[in-house]
């Protein structure tokens, strides 16, 4: 009976812990952010993001399971009064965040050693490769701009880019170790939840080229102020070498501010009077059409993508592609076949309706853009 009680308690505890553990993973295993979310009761409800059973998460679940097995064994072994046992088990359930924090710190020294090993290995691999390295950051549009740029550069180069939104230190490291091979170009999407994140990624990748997309109040709960976000995104241009090139999305006031302050070779996109922008924009339910201006060059382009944000990202990507030697006709051709990343203003049609799936976004700029697209 003892072991049956322990098994029942452990299984119920693991089910109960799911939301807490998923929140911990989505917080990037950052214990400070996790604690803050627990106090504010911001758990990762819903199916938008599911628990991913990475090697780190499997290690965590193994130690966590051993910990709660030990706790419930002691409770069931030493407490004979059934009512007191139920009360103590209920308290144990309420202490789930404490057990997660405890497991985190038990594993922390081991995880630090693993992280250092893989990052060092990735740096050594990159140092041996003579390739074009590009960093892309910003609050919104990083993944789209990365995908658009990769499609354009593939007209001339063999391109490796970080998949999906792999934009953390371990996501970029994993891409370098597992995906980067005999490529000509490596594009790294660089995300951040706190100061220093972009600088770490920039020192890891050491890009010679960079793009900063729209900057806004993404992750404001950890950055606290827009100024902190701007300073963090500015860690990319600060780490671009003297002979490197930066492209800035001038439609964003915060990004434009960084452009004005940057002293290296720079190009302003999405700004009349800048190097590149879209003119005479026409948007229908079938997509967008506009004049693409790149320096003194002008061409009419068509895309199935909707929304000004997508057009801004296309212009930013086109700017760097053009600077890297991609012909205007090849850029135009690539734009014609671009597809939106899943759930980002993705148009889905059936016999009864047209669905604009923008469910990935949950910020003011993204929601406003979706309403603007819907109105057209």
């Amino acid at each position: 009976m003892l072991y049956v009680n322990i098994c029942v308690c452990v299984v119920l505890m693991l089910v109960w812990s799911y939301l807490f553990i998923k929140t911990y993973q989505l917080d990037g295993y950052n214990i400070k952010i996790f604690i803050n979310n627990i106090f504010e009761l911001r758990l990762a409800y819903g199916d938008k993001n599911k628990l991913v059973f990475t090697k780190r998460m499997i290690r965590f679940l193994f130690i966590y399971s051993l910990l709660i097995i030990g706790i419930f064994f002691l409770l069931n072994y030493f407490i004979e009064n059934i009512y007191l046992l139920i009360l103590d088990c209920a308290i144990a359930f309420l202490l789930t965040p404490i057990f997660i924090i405890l497991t985190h710190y038990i594993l922390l020294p081991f995880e630090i050693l693993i992280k250092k090993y893989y990052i060092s290995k990735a740096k050594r691999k990159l140092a041996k490769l003579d390739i074009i390295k590009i960093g892309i950051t910003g609050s919104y549009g990083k993944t789209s701009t990365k995908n658009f740029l990769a499609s354009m550069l593939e007209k001339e180069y063999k391109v490796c880019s970080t998949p999906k939104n792999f934009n953390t230190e371990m996501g970029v490291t994993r891409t370098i170790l597992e995906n980067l091979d005999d490529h000509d170009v490596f594009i790294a999407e660089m995300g951040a939840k706190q100061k220093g994140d972009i600088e770490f990624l920039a020192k890891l990748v050491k890009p010679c080229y960079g793009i900063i997309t729209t900057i806004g109040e993404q992750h404001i709960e950890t950055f606290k102020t827009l100024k902190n976000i701007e300073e963090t995104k500015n860690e990319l241009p600060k780490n671009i070498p003297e002979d490197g090139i930066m492209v800035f999305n001038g439609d964003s006031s915060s990004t434009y501010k960084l452009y004005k302050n940057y002293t290296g070779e720079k190009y302003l996109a999405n700004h009349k009077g800048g190097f590149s922008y879209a003119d005479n924009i026409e948007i229908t339910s079938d997509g967008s059409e506009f004049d693409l201006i790149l320096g003194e060059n002008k061409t009419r382009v068509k895309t199935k993508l909707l929304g000004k944000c997508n057009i801004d990202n296309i212009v930013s990507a086109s700017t760097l592609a053009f600077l890297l030697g991609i012909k205007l006709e090849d850029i135009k051709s690539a734009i014609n076949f671009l597809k939106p990343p899943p759930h980002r203003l993705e148009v889905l049609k059936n016999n009864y309706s047209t669905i604009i799936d923008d469910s990935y976004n949950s910020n003011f700029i993204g929601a406003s853009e979706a309403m603007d697209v819907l109105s057209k």
Side-chain angles (χ1 to χ4, degrees), residues 234-287:
N234 198 40
E235 291 168 5
L236 174 58
K238 280 183 176 181
N239 284 279
I240 294 292
E242 291 183 2
D243 58 345
I245 293 174
M246 279 296 307
V247 174
F248 296 83
N249 176 18
D251 190 55
S252 164
S253 58
S254 291
T255 309
Y256 184 72
K257 186 191 301 183
L258 300 188
Y259 165 81
K260 297 289 286 184
N261 293 332
Y262 185 62
T263 57
E265 186 175 351
K266 57 186 177 181
Y267 293 86
L268 186 62
N270 302 303
H271 194 281
K272 286 286 183 74
F275 178 81
S276 57
Y277 56 92
D279 203 8
N280 301 318
I281 299 172
E282 296 179 10
I283 297 177
T284 68
S285 60
D286 295 320

Short mmCIF file of all heavy atoms in Angstrom, two decimals, residues 234-287:
data_model
loop_
_atom_site.label_atom_id
_atom_site.label_comp_id
_atom_site.label_asym_id
_atom_site.label_seq_id
_atom_site.Cartn_x
_atom_site.Cartn_y
_atom_site.Cartn_z
N ASN A 234 21.42 47.70 -29.36
CA ASN A 234 22.62 48.40 -29.84
C ASN A 234 23.90 47.61 -29.59
O ASN A 234 24.97 47.96 -30.09
CB ASN A 234 22.72 49.77 -29.15
CG ASN A 234 23.64 50.72 -29.90
OD1 ASN A 234 23.65 50.76 -31.13
ND2 ASN A 234 24.42 51.48 -29.16
N GLU A 235 23.80 46.51 -28.83
CA GLU A 235 24.96 45.66 -28.60
C GLU A 235 25.42 44.97 -29.89
O GLU A 235 26.59 44.59 -30.01
CB GLU A 235 24.64 44.62 -27.53
CG GLU A 235 24.46 45.21 -26.14
CD GLU A 235 23.86 44.24 -25.12
OE1 GLU A 235 23.67 43.06 -25.48
OE2 GLU A 235 23.58 44.66 -23.99
N LEU A 236 24.51 44.83 -30.87
CA LEU A 236 24.91 44.24 -32.15
C LEU A 236 25.83 45.18 -32.93
O LEU A 236 26.96 44.79 -33.27
CB LEU A 236 23.69 43.84 -32.98
CG LEU A 236 24.00 43.33 -34.40
CD1 LEU A 236 24.92 42.12 -34.37
CD2 LEU A 236 22.70 43.00 -35.15
N PRO A 237 25.39 46.42 -33.25
CA PRO A 237 26.31 47.31 -33.99
C PRO A 237 27.61 47.60 -33.25
O PRO A 237 28.65 47.82 -33.88
CB PRO A 237 25.48 48.58 -34.21
CG PRO A 237 24.31 48.47 -33.30
CD PRO A 237 24.06 47.03 -33.09
N LYS A 238 27.57 47.60 -31.93
CA LYS A 238 28.79 47.85 -31.16
C LYS A 238 29.83 46.76 -31.39
O LYS A 238 31.02 46.98 -31.18
CB LYS A 238 28.47 47.96 -29.67
CG LYS A 238 27.91 49.31 -29.24
CD LYS A 238 27.70 49.35 -27.74
CE LYS A 238 27.23 50.73 -27.28
NZ LYS A 238 27.04 50.77 -25.80
N ASN A 239 29.38 45.57 -31.80
CA ASN A 239 30.29 44.45 -32.00
C ASN A 239 30.54 44.14 -33.47
O ASN A 239 31.12 43.10 -33.79
CB ASN A 239 29.73 43.20 -31.29
CG ASN A 239 29.92 43.26 -29.78
OD1 ASN A 239 30.98 42.96 -29.26
ND2 ASN A 239 28.88 43.68 -29.08
N ILE A 240 30.10 45.02 -34.36
CA ILE A 240 30.40 44.87 -35.79
C ILE A 240 31.78 45.48 -36.05
O ILE A 240 32.07 46.59 -35.59
CB ILE A 240 29.33 45.59 -36.65
CG1 ILE A 240 27.97 44.90 -36.48
CG2 ILE A 240 29.74 45.63 -38.11
CD1 ILE A 240 27.89 43.50 -37.06
N PRO A 241 32.67 44.79 -36.78
CA PRO A 241 34.01 45.33 -37.02
C PRO A 241 33.98 46.59 -37.89
O PRO A 241 32.96 46.90 -38.52
CB PRO A 241 34.72 44.18 -37.74
CG PRO A 241 33.63 43.36 -38.33
CD PRO A 241 32.47 43.47 -37.39
N GLU A 242 35.11 47.29 -37.95
CA GLU A 242 35.19 48.56 -38.68
C GLU A 242 34.87 48.40 -40.16
O GLU A 242 34.32 49.31 -40.78
CB GLU A 242 36.58 49.17 -38.52
CG GLU A 242 36.86 49.67 -37.10
CD GLU A 242 38.22 50.33 -36.98
OE1 GLU A 242 38.93 50.43 -38.01
OE2 GLU A 242 38.57 50.77 -35.87
N ASP A 243 35.20 47.25 -40.73
CA ASP A 243 34.93 47.04 -42.16
C ASP A 243 33.57 46.37 -42.38
O ASP A 243 33.27 45.92 -43.50
CB ASP A 243 36.03 46.20 -42.80
CG ASP A 243 36.19 44.83 -42.13
OD1 ASP A 243 35.65 44.65 -41.01
OD2 ASP A 243 36.83 43.95 -42.72
N GLY A 244 32.75 46.31 -41.35
CA GLY A 244 31.43 45.68 -41.46
C GLY A 244 30.37 46.66 -41.91
O GLY A 244 30.63 47.85 -42.14
N ILE A 245 29.14 46.16 -42.06
CA ILE A 245 28.01 46.96 -42.55
C ILE A 245 26.79 46.71 -41.67
O ILE A 245 26.50 45.57 -41.31
CB ILE A 245 27.68 46.60 -44.01
CG1 ILE A 245 28.81 47.02 -44.96
CG2 ILE A 245 26.36 47.24 -44.45
CD1 ILE A 245 28.60 46.56 -46.40
N MET A 246 26.08 47.79 -41.35
CA MET A 246 24.83 47.68 -40.59
C MET A 246 23.68 48.26 -41.40
O MET A 246 23.80 49.30 -42.04
CB MET A 246 24.94 48.45 -39.27
CG MET A 246 25.64 47.73 -38.15
SD MET A 246 24.80 46.22 -37.59
CE MET A 246 23.14 46.80 -37.26
N VAL A 247 22.53 47.58 -41.35
CA VAL A 247 21.29 48.06 -41.97
C VAL A 247 20.28 48.31 -40.85
O VAL A 247 20.09 47.45 -39.97
CB VAL A 247 20.73 47.03 -42.97
CG1 VAL A 247 19.37 47.49 -43.50
CG2 VAL A 247 21.70 46.82 -44.12
N PHE A 248 19.65 49.47 -40.86
CA PHE A 248 18.69 49.85 -39.82
C PHE A 248 17.32 50.10 -40.44
O PHE A 248 17.21 50.75 -41.48
CB PHE A 248 19.15 51.13 -39.11
CG PHE A 248 20.44 51.02 -38.37
CD1 PHE A 248 21.66 51.15 -39.03
CD2 PHE A 248 20.45 50.80 -37.00
CE1 PHE A 248 22.86 51.05 -38.35
CE2 PHE A 248 21.65 50.70 -36.30
CZ PHE A 248 22.85 50.82 -36.98
N ASN A 249 16.27 49.61 -39.77
CA ASN A 249 14.90 49.88 -40.21
C ASN A 249 14.49 51.27 -39.73
O ASN A 249 14.10 51.45 -38.58
CB ASN A 249 13.94 48.82 -39.66
CG ASN A 249 12.49 49.12 -40.00
OD1 ASN A 249 12.20 49.90 -40.90
ND2 ASN A 249 11.57 48.49 -39.28
N GLY A 250 14.55 52.24 -40.63
CA GLY A 250 14.28 53.63 -40.26
C GLY A 250 12.83 53.94 -39.96
O GLY A 250 12.51 55.03 -39.50
N ASP A 251 11.91 53.00 -40.23
CA ASP A 251 10.50 53.22 -39.91
C ASP A 251 10.24 53.15 -38.41
O ASP A 251 9.22 53.60 -37.92
CB ASP A 251 9.63 52.20 -40.64
CG ASP A 251 8.16 52.52 -40.55
OD1 ASP A 251 7.78 53.65 -40.94
OD2 ASP A 251 7.37 51.67 -40.11
N SER A 252 11.20 52.57 -37.68
CA SER A 252 11.11 52.47 -36.22
C SER A 252 11.90 53.62 -35.61
O SER A 252 13.09 53.77 -35.88
CB SER A 252 11.67 51.12 -35.76
OG SER A 252 11.94 51.13 -34.39
N SER A 253 11.26 54.42 -34.77
CA SER A 253 11.93 55.58 -34.19
C SER A 253 13.12 55.18 -33.32
O SER A 253 14.17 55.84 -33.35
CB SER A 253 10.93 56.42 -33.37
OG SER A 253 10.35 55.63 -32.33
N SER A 254 12.98 54.08 -32.59
CA SER A 254 14.08 53.63 -31.75
C SER A 254 15.25 53.12 -32.59
O SER A 254 16.42 53.40 -32.30
CB SER A 254 13.61 52.52 -30.80
OG SER A 254 12.71 53.02 -29.84
N THR A 255 14.93 52.38 -33.66
CA THR A 255 15.98 51.89 -34.55
C THR A 255 16.65 53.05 -35.27
O THR A 255 17.88 53.06 -35.46
CB THR A 255 15.41 50.89 -35.58
OG1 THR A 255 14.66 49.89 -34.90
CG2 THR A 255 16.51 50.23 -36.38
N TYR A 256 15.86 54.04 -35.66
CA TYR A 256 16.40 55.23 -36.33
C TYR A 256 17.37 55.97 -35.42
O TYR A 256 18.40 56.49 -35.86
CB TYR A 256 15.26 56.16 -36.76
CG TYR A 256 15.72 57.37 -37.53
CD1 TYR A 256 16.19 57.25 -38.84
CD2 TYR A 256 15.70 58.64 -36.95
CE1 TYR A 256 16.61 58.36 -39.56
CE2 TYR A 256 16.13 59.75 -37.65
CZ TYR A 256 16.59 59.61 -38.96
OH TYR A 256 17.02 60.71 -39.66
N LYS A 257 17.07 55.99 -34.14
CA LYS A 257 17.95 56.63 -33.17
C LYS A 257 19.32 55.93 -33.14
O LYS A 257 20.37 56.58 -33.09
CB LYS A 257 17.31 56.59 -31.77
CG LYS A 257 18.07 57.36 -30.69
CD LYS A 257 17.54 57.06 -29.30
CE LYS A 257 16.08 57.39 -29.17
NZ LYS A 257 15.58 57.14 -27.78
N LEU A 258 19.30 54.60 -33.18
CA LEU A 258 20.56 53.85 -33.19
C LEU A 258 21.33 54.09 -34.49
O LEU A 258 22.56 54.15 -34.48
CB LEU A 258 20.28 52.34 -33.02
CG LEU A 258 19.56 51.91 -31.74
CD1 LEU A 258 19.53 50.38 -31.65
CD2 LEU A 258 20.21 52.49 -30.50
N TYR A 259 20.58 54.24 -35.58
CA TYR A 259 21.21 54.54 -36.87
C TYR A 259 21.97 55.87 -36.80
O TYR A 259 23.11 55.98 -37.25
CB TYR A 259 20.15 54.60 -37.97
CG TYR A 259 20.63 55.25 -39.26
CD1 TYR A 259 21.38 54.54 -40.18
CD2 TYR A 259 20.32 56.59 -39.53
CE1 TYR A 259 21.83 55.13 -41.36
CE2 TYR A 259 20.77 57.20 -40.70
CZ TYR A 259 21.53 56.46 -41.61
OH TYR A 259 21.98 57.07 -42.76
N LYS A 260 21.34 56.87 -36.23
CA LYS A 260 21.96 58.20 -36.14
C LYS A 260 23.23 58.17 -35.32
O LYS A 260 24.20 58.89 -35.60
CB LYS A 260 20.97 59.20 -35.52
CG LYS A 260 19.71 59.43 -36.34
CD LYS A 260 19.98 60.22 -37.61
CE LYS A 260 20.23 61.69 -37.31
NZ LYS A 260 20.40 62.48 -38.56
N ASN A 261 23.26 57.33 -34.30
CA ASN A 261 24.42 57.27 -33.39
C ASN A 261 25.54 56.36 -33.89
O ASN A 261 26.66 56.44 -33.39
CB ASN A 261 23.96 56.81 -32.00
CG ASN A 261 23.05 57.82 -31.32
OD1 ASN A 261 23.14 59.02 -31.59
ND2 ASN A 261 22.17 57.35 -30.46
N TYR A 262 25.24 55.51 -34.86
CA TYR A 262 26.24 54.55 -35.33
C TYR A 262 27.26 55.24 -36.23
O TYR A 262 26.89 56.00 -37.14
CB TYR A 262 25.55 53.40 -36.08
CG TYR A 262 26.50 52.29 -36.49
CD1 TYR A 262 27.19 51.57 -35.53
CD2 TYR A 262 26.70 51.98 -37.83
CE1 TYR A 262 28.05 50.53 -35.90
CE2 TYR A 262 27.55 50.95 -38.21
CZ TYR A 262 28.23 50.24 -37.23
OH TYR A 262 29.09 49.23 -37.60
N THR A 263 28.53 54.97 -36.01
CA THR A 263 29.60 55.68 -36.74
C THR A 263 30.22 54.85 -37.86
O THR A 263 31.02 55.36 -38.64
CB THR A 263 30.71 56.12 -35.77
OG1 THR A 263 31.22 54.97 -35.07
CG2 THR A 263 30.18 57.13 -34.75
N GLY A 264 29.88 53.57 -37.95
CA GLY A 264 30.44 52.72 -39.00
C GLY A 264 29.65 52.84 -40.30
O GLY A 264 28.78 53.71 -40.44
N GLU A 265 29.97 51.97 -41.26
CA GLU A 265 29.24 51.99 -42.53
C GLU A 265 27.81 51.53 -42.28
O GLU A 265 27.58 50.46 -41.74
CB GLU A 265 29.93 51.08 -43.55
CG GLU A 265 29.30 51.16 -44.93
CD GLU A 265 30.04 50.36 -45.99
OE1 GLU A 265 31.16 49.86 -45.69
OE2 GLU A 265 29.51 50.21 -47.10
N LYS A 266 26.86 52.35 -42.70
CA LYS A 266 25.47 52.07 -42.34
C LYS A 266 24.54 52.44 -43.49
O LYS A 266 24.84 53.31 -44.32
CB LYS A 266 25.07 52.86 -41.09
CG LYS A 266 25.26 54.38 -41.21
CD LYS A 266 25.01 55.09 -39.89
CE LYS A 266 25.27 56.60 -40.02
NZ LYS A 266 25.06 57.30 -38.75
N TYR A 267 23.38 51.77 -43.52
CA TYR A 267 22.38 52.00 -44.56
C TYR A 267 21.01 52.06 -43.91
O TYR A 267 20.66 51.20 -43.10
CB TYR A 267 22.44 50.89 -45.60
CG TYR A 267 23.72 50.90 -46.39
CD1 TYR A 267 24.86 50.24 -45.90
CD2 TYR A 267 23.82 51.59 -47.60
CE1 TYR A 267 26.06 50.26 -46.62
CE2 TYR A 267 25.02 51.62 -48.31
CZ TYR A 267 26.13 50.95 -47.81
OH TYR A 267 27.32 50.99 -48.51
N LEU A 268 20.26 53.09 -44.27
CA LEU A 268 18.93 53.31 -43.69
C LEU A 268 17.87 52.76 -44.63
O LEU A 268 17.78 53.16 -45.80
CB LEU A 268 18.71 54.80 -43.46
CG LEU A 268 17.44 55.20 -42.72
CD1 LEU A 268 17.41 54.62 -41.30
CD2 LEU A 268 17.30 56.72 -42.66
N ALA A 269 17.06 51.83 -44.12
CA ALA A 269 15.99 51.22 -44.91
C ALA A 269 14.64 51.74 -44.41
O ALA A 269 14.50 52.18 -43.27
CB ALA A 269 16.05 49.71 -44.79
N ASN A 270 13.64 51.68 -45.30
CA ASN A 270 12.26 52.05 -44.94
C ASN A 270 12.14 53.49 -44.47
O ASN A 270 11.41 53.79 -43.52
CB ASN A 270 11.72 51.08 -43.88
CG ASN A 270 11.74 49.65 -44.34
OD1 ASN A 270 11.17 49.32 -45.37
ND2 ASN A 270 12.46 48.80 -43.61
N HIS A 271 12.86 54.35 -45.13
CA HIS A 271 12.83 55.77 -44.75
C HIS A 271 13.07 56.60 -46.01
O HIS A 271 14.10 56.46 -46.66
CB HIS A 271 13.92 56.05 -43.71
CG HIS A 271 13.78 57.37 -43.01
ND1 HIS A 271 14.16 58.56 -43.58
CD2 HIS A 271 13.27 57.66 -41.78
CE1 HIS A 271 13.93 59.54 -42.72
NE2 HIS A 271 13.38 59.03 -41.63
N LYS A 272 12.09 57.44 -46.34
CA LYS A 272 12.25 58.30 -47.53
C LYS A 272 13.49 59.16 -47.33
O LYS A 272 13.66 59.82 -46.31
CB LYS A 272 11.02 59.18 -47.71
CG LYS A 272 9.79 58.46 -48.24
CD LYS A 272 9.92 58.14 -49.72
CE LYS A 272 8.66 57.48 -50.26
NZ LYS A 272 7.54 58.40 -50.43
N GLY A 273 14.35 59.14 -48.32
CA GLY A 273 15.62 59.84 -48.19
C GLY A 273 16.73 58.92 -47.74
O GLY A 273 17.91 59.29 -47.78
N GLY A 274 16.35 57.71 -47.32
CA GLY A 274 17.34 56.71 -46.94
C GLY A 274 17.82 55.95 -48.17
O GLY A 274 17.47 56.27 -49.31
N PHE A 275 18.59 54.89 -47.95
CA PHE A 275 19.13 54.11 -49.05
C PHE A 275 18.05 53.29 -49.75
O PHE A 275 18.07 53.12 -50.97
CB PHE A 275 20.24 53.18 -48.54
CG PHE A 275 20.84 52.30 -49.61
CD1 PHE A 275 21.80 52.80 -50.48
CD2 PHE A 275 20.43 50.97 -49.74
CE1 PHE A 275 22.34 51.99 -51.47
CE2 PHE A 275 20.98 50.16 -50.72
CZ PHE A 275 21.93 50.67 -51.60
N SER A 276 17.10 52.79 -48.96
CA SER A 276 16.09 51.89 -49.53
C SER A 276 14.73 52.11 -48.88
O SER A 276 14.64 52.44 -47.69
CB SER A 276 16.52 50.43 -49.35
OG SER A 276 16.73 50.15 -47.98
N TYR A 277 13.69 51.92 -49.67
CA TYR A 277 12.32 52.04 -49.15
C TYR A 277 11.34 51.50 -50.18
O TYR A 277 11.69 51.21 -51.34
CB TYR A 277 11.98 53.49 -48.80
CG TYR A 277 12.15 54.49 -49.93
CD1 TYR A 277 11.08 54.81 -50.77
CD2 TYR A 277 13.38 55.12 -50.15
CE1 TYR A 277 11.24 55.71 -51.80
CE2 TYR A 277 13.53 56.03 -51.18
CZ TYR A 277 12.47 56.32 -52.01
OH TYR A 277 12.62 57.23 -53.03
N ALA A 278 10.08 51.34 -49.74
CA ALA A 278 9.01 50.89 -50.63
C ALA A 278 8.14 52.08 -50.98
O ALA A 278 7.81 52.90 -50.11
CB ALA A 278 8.18 49.80 -49.95
N ASP A 279 7.76 52.19 -52.25
CA ASP A 279 6.95 53.32 -52.71
C ASP A 279 5.77 52.79 -53.52
O ASP A 279 5.81 51.67 -54.04
CB ASP A 279 7.81 54.26 -53.55
CG ASP A 279 7.24 55.68 -53.59
OD1 ASP A 279 6.27 55.95 -52.85
OD2 ASP A 279 7.77 56.51 -54.36
N ASN A 280 4.72 53.60 -53.60
CA ASN A 280 3.52 53.24 -54.38
C ASN A 280 3.01 51.85 -53.99
O ASN A 280 2.82 50.96 -54.84
CB ASN A 280 3.83 53.28 -55.88
CG ASN A 280 4.30 54.66 -56.33
OD1 ASN A 280 3.75 55.67 -55.92
ND2 ASN A 280 5.33 54.69 -57.17
N ILE A 281 2.75 51.69 -52.70
CA ILE A 281 2.32 50.38 -52.17
C ILE A 281 0.85 50.13 -52.48
O ILE A 281 -0.01 50.99 -52.25
CB ILE A 281 2.56 50.32 -50.65
CG1 ILE A 281 4.04 50.48 -50.33
CG2 ILE A 281 2.03 49.01 -50.08
CD1 ILE A 281 4.34 50.62 -48.86
N GLU A 282 0.55 48.95 -53.00
CA GLU A 282 -0.83 48.51 -53.23
C GLU A 282 -1.04 47.17 -52.54
O GLU A 282 -0.27 46.24 -52.73
CB GLU A 282 -1.10 48.36 -54.74
CG GLU A 282 -1.01 49.68 -55.50
CD GLU A 282 -1.25 49.50 -56.99
OE1 GLU A 282 -1.69 48.39 -57.38
OE2 GLU A 282 -1.00 50.45 -57.75
N ILE A 283 -2.08 47.09 -51.72
CA ILE A 283 -2.36 45.86 -50.96
C ILE A 283 -3.75 45.36 -51.30
O ILE A 283 -4.73 46.11 -51.25
CB ILE A 283 -2.24 46.11 -49.45
CG1 ILE A 283 -0.81 46.51 -49.07
CG2 ILE A 283 -2.63 44.86 -48.67
CD1 ILE A 283 -0.63 46.86 -47.61
N THR A 284 -3.85 44.09 -51.67
CA THR A 284 -5.14 43.44 -51.92
C THR A 284 -5.18 42.16 -51.09
O THR A 284 -4.23 41.83 -50.38
CB THR A 284 -5.29 43.08 -53.41
OG1 THR A 284 -4.36 42.04 -53.74
CG2 THR A 284 -5.02 44.29 -54.30
N SER A 285 -6.29 41.44 -51.21
CA SER A 285 -6.40 40.18 -50.46
C SER A 285 -5.45 39.12 -50.99
O SER A 285 -5.21 38.11 -50.33
CB SER A 285 -7.84 39.67 -50.54
OG SER A 285 -8.20 39.44 -51.90
N ASP A 286 -4.88 39.36 -52.18
CA ASP A 286 -3.95 38.39 -52.78
C ASP A 286 -2.49 38.69 -52.46
O ASP A 286 -1.61 37.90 -52.78
CB ASP A 286 -4.13 38.36 -54.30
CG ASP A 286 -5.50 37.83 -54.70
OD1 ASP A 286 -5.95 36.86 -54.04
OD2 ASP A 286 -6.10 38.37 -55.63
N GLY A 287 -2.22 39.84 -51.82
CA GLY A 287 -0.84 40.18 -51.49
C GLY A 287 -0.54 41.65 -51.64
O GLY A 287 -1.45 42.49 -51.59
#
